[in-house]
């Protein structure tokens, strides 16, 4: 799950970066940036957080 979360974060970061080369429309760039931010947040808060909470120090 940690690898999946990391991949989601990287893909979410790459979406706005690649969107700069794909289109010159500001609206499309804004939409790609918002989708990228949402993907990063899902990767960080949804997947990575749950993976690290399974092995938290205070749960031992």
């Amino acid at each position: 799950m940690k690898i999946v979360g990391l991949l989601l974060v990287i893909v979410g970061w790459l979406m706005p970066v690649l969107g700069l080369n794909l289109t010159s429309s500001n609206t499309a760039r804004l939409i790609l940036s918002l989708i990228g931010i949402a993907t990063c947040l899902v990767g960080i808060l949804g997947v990575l957080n749950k993976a690290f909470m399974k092995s938290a120090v205070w749960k031992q």
Side-chain angles (χ1 to χ4, degrees):
M1 289 305 285
K2 293 177 185 178
I3 294 174
V4 173
L6 184 61
L7 287 175
L8 277 173
V9 171
I10 291 172
V11 167
W13 180 78
L14 282 176
M15 288 179 76
V17 172
L18 294 176
L20 291 173
N21 296 327
L22 292 176
T23 183
S24 61
S25 168
N26 286 334
T27 305
R29 288 180 178 177
L30 176 67
I31 291 170
L32 281 173
S33 296
L34 291 175
I35 292 171
I37 289 170
T39 306
C40 281
L41 286 176
V42 166
I44 293 170
L45 298 177
V47 180
L48 283 177
N49 191 31
K50 289 180 185 177
F52 281 107
M53 289 296 281
K54 288 180 183 177
S55 62
V57 175
W58 60 85
K59 289 189 175 186
Q60 294 178 356

